[in-house]
Amino acid sequence: MYNSNPTLEGLTKVIDPKKQGEVYGQTDNNNQSSEPERKFYIESYGCQMNFSDSEIVASVLSDSGFGPTRNLEEADLILINTCSIREKAEETVRKRLRIFDKVKRNRPGTMVGVLGCMAERLKTKLLEEEKLVDLVVGPDAYRDLPTLVGTAESGQKAVNVFLSREETYADINPMRLDNNGVTAFISIMRGCDNMCSFCVVPFTRGRERSRNAYTIVAEATDLFQRGYREVTLLGQNVDSYKWTHPETEEVFSFARILRMVADVHPDLRVRFSTSHPKDITDDVLFAISEYENVCNYIHLPVQSGNSRVLKLMNRTYSREWYMDKVKRIYEIIPDCAISSDMIAGFCTETEDEHRDTLSIMEYSNYSMSYMFMYSERPGTLAERKYQDDIPEAIKKRRLQEIIQLQNAISFNHNQRDIGKVFKVLIEGDSKKDKNDFKGRNSQNKMLVFPKKDGLKPGNYTYVKVQSATSATLIGEIVE
Ligand code: SAH
Ligand code: SF4
Ligand code: F3S
């Protein structure tokens, strides 16, 4: 999820394992009827998918009489939606759990629950060995939360880490947390069948499944009617979206769902994340270029620029294949921005192979990237088959080189925008100065510009860029 540090957190809340825990801000409370008796507090880590899941959790809980609170101290139920993608992510969660444990001791009766990928990975371990938590609930078991809370209240172990082949929460209307009233996420699929050798996601999220296309369009329509102007379609691999109508057996591809959501209204911007390079089709690229409201921005994680390493990573494409894909994107959508994820120091990576990553970054001209040191994860293919043999110091240095290069590329990318006029969706006040608005252009770049009377968040305006850093474009509204 993204948070505007291009070296770490995405500008939007892109499927983003790097984002630190966040408590929601305002909710739109669309699920709330009367004043709830009990309160839940939820903190989310990891990718956008997790943030989106927390909104499903909030909806389920609010239907069973729990209301949201931002205040840890007044919560009856403390939940932490966790990420397992790298060791560090798990360490952060463990630290938080110890803090929650203290809160619990000061306030007996308070329950603590672990949700998400760590719940799935560690299962009952969290209850039995560490005794820090009362509930453990995997990503496909959120409907069961009210029952599990009851079980925990009666003093029993409350665990559901069952992974489903069907669950998509298609019918649940998420309670929008951390809400700006302008942009929202819509989960369109769950799980991942790709088995990249470094990755825990297939183990924590289970098999890939796609959500009913009509419920996606209904959710987008409802959001638009409530004033939202941008939706991001979410999945670990959105391009392999495939839903078959149970009666007509009609098949809906990702390109098709993209067009269907874009057709909701020309003023509803559509984004999506994440694309696996092997699955993004020309049809998707044509949909982006046909529709003004489908944003010209693709997050296309490369992971490595070297074919041998890509093979070890089980990414199923080579350096050349990826470069052709990038070329194709710029052919069909000349002003498209592409961003990426890179892993430094994967098993057996040589200096030359590392330099292949640097050169593919230059070739692809990424507007920004998420960059990581390889972190071995238990149970993954890489953990079982390869040795994590690159010393920490070398991983760090390679990562530093990747970050430095990306900063330079992003800076140049943004410098080239000086003098251009962009259509910008206003998202709210700039963090630094309340006299400025912030908003994004189609390429997902953040623009900051002085406010103008009559304009408010959710409006579109045109902004001419006057200067730029590696993270932000600074400009002025033009008529
Ligand atoms: N489904 C998305 C990515 C999900 S995880 C995709 O395929 O692009 C987000 C990013 O975390 C990955 O793209 C990868 O760059 C990074 N990542 C995943 N596992 C990792 C590991 N074991 N060590 C370091 N980085 C990892
Ligand atoms: Fe992990 Fe690969 Fe699936 Fe992405 S596509 S979630 S990196 S296994
Ligand atoms: Fe997302 Fe982290 Fe799970 S990246 S899918 S929350 S392991």
Side-chain angles (χ1 to χ4, degrees), residues 164-194:
S164 157
R165 280 175 173 259
E166 287 95 33
E167 182 63 274
T168 58
Y169 301 112
D171 56 317
I172 293 183
N173 190 11
M175 178 192 265
R176 304 288 163 186
L177 305 170
D178 196 15
N179 180 39
N180 63 8
V182 179
T183 60
F185 298 109
I186 302 181
S187 286
I188 65 163
M189 62 191 303
R190 302 181 69 80
C192 183
D193 282 351
N194 279 320

Short mmCIF file of all heavy atoms in Angstrom, two decimals, residues 164-194:
data_model
loop_
_atom_site.label_atom_id
_atom_site.label_comp_id
_atom_site.label_asym_id
_atom_site.label_seq_id
_atom_site.Cartn_x
_atom_site.Cartn_y
_atom_site.Cartn_z
N SER A 164 -10.21 -20.96 2.01
CA SER A 164 -11.33 -21.37 1.16
C SER A 164 -10.95 -21.32 -0.32
O SER A 164 -10.05 -20.58 -0.71
CB SER A 164 -12.48 -20.41 1.45
OG SER A 164 -13.37 -20.37 0.38
N ARG A 165 -11.65 -22.08 -1.13
CA ARG A 165 -11.47 -21.98 -2.58
C ARG A 165 -12.50 -21.05 -3.19
O ARG A 165 -12.43 -20.71 -4.36
CB ARG A 165 -11.58 -23.36 -3.23
CG ARG A 165 -10.32 -24.15 -3.11
CD ARG A 165 -10.48 -25.54 -3.67
NE ARG A 165 -9.20 -26.22 -3.68
CZ ARG A 165 -8.43 -26.36 -4.76
NH1 ARG A 165 -8.83 -25.88 -5.91
NH2 ARG A 165 -7.28 -26.98 -4.68
N GLU A 166 -13.49 -20.67 -2.38
CA GLU A 166 -14.59 -19.87 -2.92
C GLU A 166 -14.72 -18.47 -2.34
O GLU A 166 -15.20 -17.57 -3.01
CB GLU A 166 -15.94 -20.57 -2.68
CG GLU A 166 -16.20 -21.77 -3.55
CD GLU A 166 -15.80 -23.05 -2.85
OE1 GLU A 166 -15.93 -23.09 -1.61
OE2 GLU A 166 -15.33 -23.98 -3.52
N GLU A 167 -14.33 -18.30 -1.07
CA GLU A 167 -14.66 -17.04 -0.39
C GLU A 167 -14.08 -15.82 -1.12
O GLU A 167 -12.89 -15.76 -1.39
CB GLU A 167 -14.11 -17.07 1.04
CG GLU A 167 -14.42 -15.82 1.86
CD GLU A 167 -15.91 -15.61 2.07
OE1 GLU A 167 -16.54 -14.99 1.19
OE2 GLU A 167 -16.43 -16.06 3.12
N THR A 168 -14.97 -14.88 -1.47
CA THR A 168 -14.50 -13.61 -2.04
C THR A 168 -15.17 -12.43 -1.33
O THR A 168 -14.97 -11.29 -1.72
CB THR A 168 -14.81 -13.51 -3.55
OG1 THR A 168 -16.23 -13.66 -3.74
CG2 THR A 168 -14.07 -14.54 -4.37
N TYR A 169 -15.97 -12.71 -0.32
CA TYR A 169 -16.71 -11.67 0.41
C TYR A 169 -17.51 -10.79 -0.55
O TYR A 169 -17.68 -9.59 -0.32
CB TYR A 169 -15.75 -10.81 1.25
CG TYR A 169 -14.95 -11.60 2.26
CD1 TYR A 169 -13.57 -11.76 2.13
CD2 TYR A 169 -15.58 -12.18 3.36
CE1 TYR A 169 -12.84 -12.48 3.06
CE2 TYR A 169 -14.85 -12.92 4.30
CZ TYR A 169 -13.48 -13.06 4.14
OH TYR A 169 -12.76 -13.78 5.06
N ALA A 170 -17.96 -11.41 -1.65
CA ALA A 170 -18.59 -10.66 -2.74
C ALA A 170 -19.77 -9.81 -2.26
O ALA A 170 -19.98 -8.71 -2.74
CB ALA A 170 -19.05 -11.62 -3.82
N ASP A 171 -20.54 -10.33 -1.30
CA ASP A 171 -21.76 -9.65 -0.90
C ASP A 171 -21.55 -8.67 0.26
O ASP A 171 -22.50 -8.04 0.71
CB ASP A 171 -22.78 -10.71 -0.47
CG ASP A 171 -22.20 -11.61 0.63
OD1 ASP A 171 -21.02 -12.01 0.51
OD2 ASP A 171 -22.90 -11.86 1.62
N ILE A 172 -20.34 -8.57 0.76
CA ILE A 172 -20.13 -7.70 1.93
C ILE A 172 -19.77 -6.29 1.48
O ILE A 172 -18.88 -6.09 0.67
CB ILE A 172 -19.04 -8.28 2.86
CG1 ILE A 172 -19.56 -9.58 3.47
CG2 ILE A 172 -18.65 -7.27 3.95
CD1 ILE A 172 -18.65 -10.23 4.46
N ASN A 173 -20.51 -5.33 2.02
CA ASN A 173 -20.24 -3.94 1.68
C ASN A 173 -19.22 -3.41 2.69
O ASN A 173 -19.56 -3.20 3.85
CB ASN A 173 -21.55 -3.15 1.76
CG ASN A 173 -21.39 -1.75 1.20
OD1 ASN A 173 -20.36 -1.44 0.57
ND2 ASN A 173 -22.37 -0.90 1.44
N PRO A 174 -17.97 -3.20 2.27
CA PRO A 174 -16.93 -2.84 3.24
C PRO A 174 -17.22 -1.52 3.94
O PRO A 174 -17.76 -0.60 3.33
CB PRO A 174 -15.68 -2.70 2.38
CG PRO A 174 -15.99 -3.33 1.08
CD PRO A 174 -17.46 -3.22 0.89
N MET A 175 -16.90 -1.46 5.23
CA MET A 175 -16.99 -0.19 5.94
C MET A 175 -15.71 0.57 5.65
O MET A 175 -14.63 0.12 6.02
CB MET A 175 -17.12 -0.42 7.45
CG MET A 175 -17.15 0.88 8.23
SD MET A 175 -16.93 0.59 9.99
CE MET A 175 -18.63 0.52 10.49
N ARG A 176 -15.82 1.68 4.94
CA ARG A 176 -14.62 2.37 4.48
C ARG A 176 -13.88 2.99 5.65
O ARG A 176 -14.39 3.92 6.30
CB ARG A 176 -14.97 3.43 3.44
CG ARG A 176 -15.74 2.89 2.26
CD ARG A 176 -14.88 2.05 1.35
NE ARG A 176 -15.73 1.23 0.47
CZ ARG A 176 -15.25 0.31 -0.36
NH1 ARG A 176 -13.95 0.08 -0.43
NH2 ARG A 176 -16.07 -0.39 -1.10
N LEU A 177 -12.69 2.51 5.93
CA LEU A 177 -11.85 3.03 6.99
C LEU A 177 -10.82 3.95 6.34
O LEU A 177 -10.62 3.90 5.14
CB LEU A 177 -11.13 1.89 7.72
CG LEU A 177 -12.02 0.77 8.30
CD1 LEU A 177 -11.16 -0.39 8.75
CD2 LEU A 177 -12.86 1.28 9.46
N ASP A 178 -10.16 4.75 7.16
CA ASP A 178 -9.10 5.61 6.64
C ASP A 178 -9.61 6.33 5.38
O ASP A 178 -8.99 6.33 4.33
CB ASP A 178 -7.88 4.76 6.28
CG ASP A 178 -6.64 5.62 6.11
OD1 ASP A 178 -6.68 6.78 6.54
OD2 ASP A 178 -5.66 5.15 5.51
N ASN A 179 -10.73 6.96 5.55
CA ASN A 179 -11.55 7.34 4.43
C ASN A 179 -11.38 8.81 4.04
O ASN A 179 -11.55 9.68 4.87
CB ASN A 179 -13.00 7.08 4.87
CG ASN A 179 -13.98 7.41 3.83
OD1 ASN A 179 -13.73 7.17 2.65
ND2 ASN A 179 -15.08 7.99 4.23
N ASN A 180 -11.06 9.08 2.78
CA ASN A 180 -11.03 10.48 2.33
C ASN A 180 -12.28 10.82 1.52
O ASN A 180 -12.43 11.92 1.03
CB ASN A 180 -9.74 10.77 1.54
CG ASN A 180 -9.64 9.95 0.26
OD1 ASN A 180 -10.59 9.26 -0.13
ND2 ASN A 180 -8.51 10.02 -0.40
N GLY A 181 -13.15 9.83 1.33
CA GLY A 181 -14.39 10.07 0.61
C GLY A 181 -14.22 10.23 -0.88
O GLY A 181 -15.18 10.51 -1.60
N VAL A 182 -13.00 10.07 -1.38
CA VAL A 182 -12.73 10.28 -2.81
C VAL A 182 -12.21 9.01 -3.48
O VAL A 182 -12.63 8.66 -4.58
CB VAL A 182 -11.68 11.42 -2.99
CG1 VAL A 182 -11.37 11.63 -4.47
CG2 VAL A 182 -12.18 12.72 -2.37
N THR A 183 -11.30 8.31 -2.79
CA THR A 183 -10.69 7.12 -3.39
C THR A 183 -11.00 5.88 -2.53
O THR A 183 -11.05 5.98 -1.31
CB THR A 183 -9.16 7.26 -3.48
OG1 THR A 183 -8.64 7.44 -2.15
CG2 THR A 183 -8.75 8.46 -4.31
N ALA A 184 -11.20 4.76 -3.17
CA ALA A 184 -11.52 3.53 -2.42
C ALA A 184 -10.95 2.31 -3.15
O ALA A 184 -10.67 2.36 -4.36
CB ALA A 184 -13.02 3.38 -2.27
N PHE A 185 -10.80 1.23 -2.40
CA PHE A 185 -10.32 -0.02 -2.97
C PHE A 185 -11.46 -1.00 -3.15
O PHE A 185 -12.37 -1.05 -2.33
CB PHE A 185 -9.29 -0.67 -2.05
CG PHE A 185 -8.09 0.18 -1.85
CD1 PHE A 185 -7.84 0.80 -0.65
CD2 PHE A 185 -7.21 0.38 -2.90
CE1 PHE A 185 -6.74 1.60 -0.48
CE2 PHE A 185 -6.10 1.18 -2.75
CZ PHE A 185 -5.86 1.80 -1.53
N ILE A 186 -11.39 -1.77 -4.20
CA ILE A 186 -12.36 -2.84 -4.41
C ILE A 186 -11.58 -4.13 -4.67
O ILE A 186 -10.84 -4.23 -5.66
CB ILE A 186 -13.28 -2.55 -5.62
CG1 ILE A 186 -14.03 -1.22 -5.43
CG2 ILE A 186 -14.25 -3.71 -5.83
CD1 ILE A 186 -14.97 -0.87 -6.58
N SER A 187 -11.74 -5.10 -3.78
CA SER A 187 -11.07 -6.39 -4.00
C SER A 187 -11.81 -7.13 -5.10
O SER A 187 -13.02 -7.30 -5.02
CB SER A 187 -11.13 -7.25 -2.74
OG SER A 187 -10.24 -6.75 -1.81
N ILE A 188 -11.08 -7.59 -6.11
CA ILE A 188 -11.74 -8.32 -7.20
C ILE A 188 -11.35 -9.78 -7.24
O ILE A 188 -11.98 -10.58 -7.92
CB ILE A 188 -11.49 -7.66 -8.58
CG1 ILE A 188 -10.02 -7.72 -8.98
CG2 ILE A 188 -11.99 -6.21 -8.59
CD1 ILE A 188 -9.81 -7.47 -10.48
N MET A 189 -10.29 -10.11 -6.54
CA MET A 189 -9.89 -11.52 -6.46
C MET A 189 -9.09 -11.75 -5.19
O MET A 189 -8.66 -10.79 -4.55
CB MET A 189 -9.07 -11.90 -7.68
CG MET A 189 -7.79 -11.12 -7.78
SD MET A 189 -6.97 -11.31 -9.35
CE MET A 189 -6.75 -13.06 -9.40
N ARG A 190 -8.93 -13.00 -4.81
CA ARG A 190 -8.16 -13.33 -3.62
C ARG A 190 -7.21 -14.48 -3.93
O ARG A 190 -7.42 -15.23 -4.87
CB ARG A 190 -9.09 -13.72 -2.46
CG ARG A 190 -10.09 -12.63 -2.11
CD ARG A 190 -10.97 -13.04 -0.97
NE ARG A 190 -10.25 -13.12 0.29
CZ ARG A 190 -9.94 -12.09 1.06
NH1 ARG A 190 -10.29 -10.86 0.69
NH2 ARG A 190 -9.30 -12.26 2.19
N GLY A 191 -6.17 -14.59 -3.10
CA GLY A 191 -5.23 -15.70 -3.23
C GLY A 191 -4.27 -15.51 -4.39
O GLY A 191 -4.29 -14.49 -5.09
N CYS A 192 -3.39 -16.48 -4.56
CA CYS A 192 -2.42 -16.42 -5.65
C CYS A 192 -1.95 -17.83 -5.98
O CYS A 192 -1.60 -18.60 -5.10
CB CYS A 192 -1.22 -15.56 -5.26
SG CYS A 192 -0.05 -15.41 -6.62
N ASP A 193 -1.94 -18.16 -7.27
CA ASP A 193 -1.52 -19.49 -7.72
C ASP A 193 -0.13 -19.47 -8.33
O ASP A 193 0.26 -20.42 -9.02
CB ASP A 193 -2.50 -20.01 -8.78
CG ASP A 193 -3.79 -20.53 -8.16
OD1 ASP A 193 -3.84 -20.63 -6.92
OD2 ASP A 193 -4.73 -20.83 -8.91
N ASN A 194 0.62 -18.38 -8.12
CA ASN A 194 1.86 -18.25 -8.90
C ASN A 194 3.10 -18.92 -8.36
O ASN A 194 3.97 -19.29 -9.13
CB ASN A 194 2.16 -16.78 -9.15
CG ASN A 194 1.34 -16.29 -10.32
OD1 ASN A 194 1.18 -17.00 -11.29
ND2 ASN A 194 0.81 -15.10 -10.21
#
